[in-house]
Amino acid sequence: MYDVAIIGAGIIGTFIFRELSRYELKVVLIEKDSDIADGATKANSAIVHAGYDAAVGTLKAKFNALGNPMFDKVCEELDVHFKRIGSLVIATNEEEMEVVKELYERGIKNGIPNMKILNKEEVREMEENLNEDVLGALYAPTAGIVSPWELAVALAENAVDNGADIKLESEVTDIKRTSEGYCIYMGKEILNTKYVINCAGIYADKINEMVASKTFEIRPRRGQYNVLDKSVGNLVKHVIFQAPTKLGKGVLVTPTVHGNLLVGPDAEDIEDREDTSTTSERIAYVRQTARKSVKDIPFNLTITSFAGLRAKSSTGDFIIEESKEAKGFINVAGIDSPGLSSAPAIAEYVVDIVKDIAGGLKEKENFNPRRRPVIRFMELSDDEKAELIKKDPRYGRIICRCESITEGEIVDAIHRNAGARTVDGVKRRVRPGMGRCQGGFCGPRVMEILARELGKDIKEIVKDGKSSYILVGETKKADKVIEEVKENKLA
């Protein structure tokens, strides 16, 4: 019997998970996929927004303004990279300058500090590579960049360090009310809990409808991105937004915390909640639109493209409340942009809801907000590297040449609480496969290390999801395997 079950291990679910692990509660995080941050959290713009964009009086405006200043502390505690590089919303004509002024006024009402409207000369002084058509911009110095999947993993790890549980590959198929709370069905497994927090992202409406009537709908909106090589990561110094439209904040150009350049997204409403495919037409649109901001983006240095799905709510705002029909069932739904920026504040608010329902919560005396520091080998001094290799020779073996990631770092990522179990799980934690070759060289070695450390056959190691097998047999037996596949298809 758990006190609280959280459904969905994205950035919202993991922030709430960590906050609840501060209290004398039995808490579990349930995720249908094979890893933490396997949905929208692994495929977004990675921006901590300043907070001027959301409409005044909305939950988006409230929690963005509250959440933004919380990132410095939480990222320091969890040893996650975070940089306050500031953002610019650029205008290329007088009509867009009016939008910039409206955003400034909205930001003032939302309580966003230190904003400034810049003229053309001031903008060019800050960003020399912007398109010459830029007339001015809104500068918001509090905007930042972070690695959302690394942050989600760190939050989950810290919660487990403090006694909470995680259940991966546990898709919720039904929820029934009981005299004590709720019974959650996950295939053949059944779990009982007093309270449920629905953070299921793109499926939050479906989870809600397991216990209550349909009061909102989640609509998937796909956005596609280009990631460029680190050699052009300094093309811009700030997050560069275009004047927003009704579809969102437009195509942005930004550095990433790891030194790449990120360009995107577009916005495309779709029906399929699992369709994260990229298309040549939309990628071409992203590239063409981005040139409005930065004229000479070298897209020939693109190392990968990807797509993510935003959970657009039919209400037009975040939904954060206890269900009116199901006591103890809390919906945290429709968390699209600025969801990442709002996440720490949303988590505190949701914990307050739990406190009200439970009649108060008791804090743990031994809660530790810090996780064990991550060793990032290439950031060490030569003396520190030599000392570390002397203690553990695995740190002297480079596995990923593009990102200079060592075997020691990969092994550590596997054996931490909430550790990696898949190739992409290792990739998201310590970056092998994130460089120019996209895992072409290091992928097989990562598989070997995973198999060795987890005590599995290498054919059991998957790329990401539980069915994304990479190997089906020995390559020298390829002809036999092909024949078997053909026979099975014919059968």
Side-chain angles (χ1 to χ4, degrees):
M1 183 72 183
Y2 284 94
D3 294 302
V4 185
I6 303 163
I7 302 173
I11 193 67
I12 301 298
T14 52
F15 253 115
I16 295 170
F17 188 45
R18 188 215 186 201
E19 282 304 304
L20 285 172
S21 73
R22 296 176 182 271
Y23 299 90
E24 296 290 350
L25 294 169
K26 191 173 182 184
V27 184
V28 62
L29 179 66
I30 302 169
E31 170 57 46
K32 69 179 178 66
D33 292 322
S34 300
D35 199 6
I36 307 299
D38 220 18
T41 300
K42 74 176 181 183
N44 61 57
S45 303
I47 305 300
V48 177
H49 294 282
Y52 49 75
D53 183 65
V56 178
T58 61
L59 293 180
K60 290 184 177 184
K62 172 183 176 180
F63 289 115
N64 192 162
L66 291 172
N68 175 288
M70 298 170 72
F71 273 82
D72 302 273
K73 180 181 179 183
V74 71
C75 290
E76 188 274 328
E77 288 178 341
L78 298 177
D79 193 20
V80 173
H81 285 125
F82 170 62
K83 298 177 181 179
R84 285 198 184 278
I85 61 172
S87 66
L88 293 168
V89 183
I90 62 168
T92 57
N93 56 51
E94 291 300 334
E95 183 179 350
E96 290 179 352
M97 274 305 298
E98 290 303 312
V99 174
V100 164
K101 293 172 183 176
E102 289 174 11
L103 289 175
Y104 175 81
E105 294 300 328
R106 192 184 304 167
I108 294 296
K109 293 176 182 177
N110 286 343
I112 309 308
N114 304 322
M115 297 181 301
K116 184 180 180 182
I117 294 180
L118 307 178
N119 61 33
K120 182 172 185 175
E121 290 70 28
E122 291 171 317
V123 176
R124 297 290 296 178
E125 188 175 337
M126 294 177 70
E127 290 286 358
E128 61 184 5
N129 292 318
L130 291 185
N131 195 308
E132 293 179 359
D133 294 337
V134 173
L135 297 179
L138 171 63
Y139 174 50
T142 57
I145 53 176
V146 71
S147 174
W149 52 89
E150 288 180 31
L151 178 54
V153 167
L155 290 160
E157 180 184 328
N158 187 234
V160 176
D161 289 345
N162 284 289
D165 296 336
I166 296 177
K167 289 186 178 295
L168 299 174
E169 296 185 357
S170 300
E171 183 173 359
V172 175
T173 54
D174 201 4
I175 304 174
K176 301 291 186 185
R177 293 190 228 184
T178 68
S179 58
E180 294 181 303
Y182 294 90
C183 183
I184 300 176
Y185 295 82
M186 302 169 291
K188 295 180 179 179
E189 188 176 2
I190 298 173
L191 180 152
N192 289 289
T193 181
K194 293 179 184 176
Y195 313 118
V196 177
I197 303 175
N198 173 17
C199 303
I202 209 78
Y203 289 100
D205 53 347
K206 304 301 182 185
I207 296 296
N208 172 68
E209 289 161 30
M210 291 179 181
V211 299
S213 58
K214 183 175 181 176
T215 54
F216 63 89
E217 184 180 356
I218 299 299
R219 300 159 183 164
R221 177 170 289 176
R222 184 170 62 183
Q224 301 186 35
Y225 297 82
N226 279 180
V227 181
L228 278 69
D229 188 71
K230 287 184 176 181
S231 62
V232 291
N234 62 354
L235 188 67
V236 295
K237 304 177 184 69
H238 305 81
V239 182
I240 309 299
F241 293 108
Q242 297 171 354
T245 68
K246 62 181 180 180
L247 286 176
K249 301 176 181 67
V251 173
L252 62 87
V253 181
T254 180
T256 71
V257 287
H258 296 295
N260 296 94
L261 189 74
L262 181 68
V263 181
D266 65 339
E268 180 185 11
D269 292 323
I270 61 174
E271 295 296 326
D272 188 348
R273 301 187 190 219
E274 295 293 329
D275 187 359
T276 56
S277 59
T278 56
T279 64
S280 58
E281 294 82 8
R282 301 305 296 183
I283 289 294
Y285 168 81
V286 167
R287 294 181 177 186
Q288 184 60 39
T289 306
R291 291 189 177 98
K292 179 180 176 182
S293 302
V294 183
K295 187 176 181 180
D296 297 318
I297 302 174
F299 285 109
N300 61 310
L301 295 176
T302 298
I303 60 174
T304 192
S305 299
F306 68 90
L309 298 178
R310 285 163 270 181
K312 298 293 295 183
S313 166
S314 56
T315 69
D317 198 3
F318 296 160
I319 300 165
I320 310 171
E321 61 187 9
E322 182 184 20
S323 169
K324 294 177 176 62
E325 301 176 32
K327 184 172 175 57
F329 185 95
I330 303 167
N331 282 309
V332 188
I335 312 296
D336 59 339
S337 181
L340 170 61
S341 317
S342 305
I346 289 174
E348 288 192 352
Y349 182 74
V350 171
V351 170
D352 285 341
I353 295 176
V354 175
K355 286 179 182 178
D356 289 341
I357 297 171
L361 299 175
K362 182 182 178 181
E363 289 195 40
K364 291 176 180 175
E365 294 181 2
N366 62 344
F367 174 78
N368 181 7
R370 297 182 176 275
R371 70 165 176 158
R372 178 166 55 85
V374 177
I375 294 174
R376 299 179 178 92
F377 187 77
M378 293 311 294
E379 295 180 10
L380 302 178
S381 67
D382 289 344
D383 289 342
E384 288 171 329
K385 289 176 182 176
E387 187 63 29
L388 181 60
I389 294 170
K390 194 181 298 183
K391 292 179 181 177
D392 188 342
R394 292 175 297 186
Y395 284 93
R397 293 194 281 272
I398 297 291
I399 302 300
C400 173
R401 287 177 275 176
C402 297
E403 297 291 311
S404 299
I405 307 300
T406 66
E407 181 179 357
E409 291 166 274
I410 295 170
V411 171
D412 181 51
I414 294 169
H415 290 295
R416 284 174 174 264
N417 283 331
R421 295 292 180 271
T422 65
V423 172
D424 280 0
V426 172
K427 176 181 177 179
R428 284 192 286 271
R429 285 162 176 79
V430 286
R431 295 186 60 74
M434 289 276 193
R436 290 180 183 178
C437 83
Q438 290 290 291
F441 288 99
C442 64
R445 287 289 292 120
V446 171
M447 291 178 67
E448 290 173 356
I449 295 168
L450 276 163
R452 182 191 73 206
E453 297 299 319
L454 298 176
K456 291 185 175 183
D457 188 292
I458 196 167
K459 294 193 293 295
E460 297 178 76
I461 302 303
V462 296
K463 181 181 184 295
D464 194 9
K466 55 187 175 182
S467 299
S468 59
Y469 291 101
I470 301 169
L471 298 177
V472 295
E474 296 179 29
T475 54
K476 290 184 179 179
K477 297 178 182 178
D479 292 340
K480 183 178 178 181
V481 171
I482 291 169
E483 286 302 317
E484 289 177 355
V485 170
K486 286 180 179 178
E487 288 175 10
N488 288 333
K489 284 185 176 179
L490 289 174

